[in-house]
Structure formats: C-alpha cells, structure tokens
Amino acid sequence: MDNETFNLDLRKFLKQVGVTSQREIELAVGRALAEGRLDGVKSLPVRMVLTVDGIDLTHEVTGELSLDQPPR
C-alpha cells in the first residue's frame, strides 16, 4: 500500500463529505424554517454513519446542532 496516495485520497474524500454534508444540512434547515417546521425548535440531533465496504467498518458520530442565537 502506498500510504501517501491513500492519505491523499482519504483527505479528499473527507473534505468532500464535509463540504457536501454542510451544504445539504444548511439547505434542509432553510427549507424547514421557511415551511414553519422548526418553530420553537432550539436544536436538532444529528448523526453521521460512515461505512467502508470491504473492511466491515461502521463508525457513528452523534451531536447536536443549535438553532438558538448565542447569548450576548
């Protein structure tokens, strides 16, 4: 295995995941706000599941996305 090639491909993939995931979340939250589906909602639970076929890897990351304004 060529570690340099592997690491470059891995970083490219993770960058693509980050950029596209952020865009999709922002668009979905914007639509939900416009449709009034988030009235009174202060945060959204979020979960990302990573799977890698061929090595039987499943990794889950959970968190919370705050919709509240930060305190002033």
Side-chain angles (χ1 to χ4, degrees):
M1 178 173 95
D2 184 321
N3 282 330
E4 187 173 339
T5 300
F6 174 73
N7 284 323
L8 286 172
D9 281 351
L10 180 57
R11 288 172 189 257
K12 265 195 278 188
F13 174 74
L14 292 174
K15 183 176 180 178
Q16 180 183 4
V17 168
V19 170
T20 58
S21 297
Q22 180 174 350
R23 182 178 60 237
E24 291 300 317
I25 291 168
E26 288 171 344
L27 290 171
V29 167
R31 281 191 303 270
L33 285 168
E35 295 168 2
R37 292 187 285 130
L38 292 178
D39 288 343
V41 175
K42 296 188 184 294
S43 65
L44 296 169
V46 64
R47 177 173 60 104
M48 177 69 73
V49 178
L50 168 72
T51 57
V52 181
D53 297 334
I55 59 171
D56 297 323
L57 171 66
T58 299
H59 177 71
E60 183 175 316
V61 179
T62 60
E64 196 84 13
L65 300 176
S66 177
L67 301 176
D68 273 346
Q69 294 288 335
R72 293 180 185 210

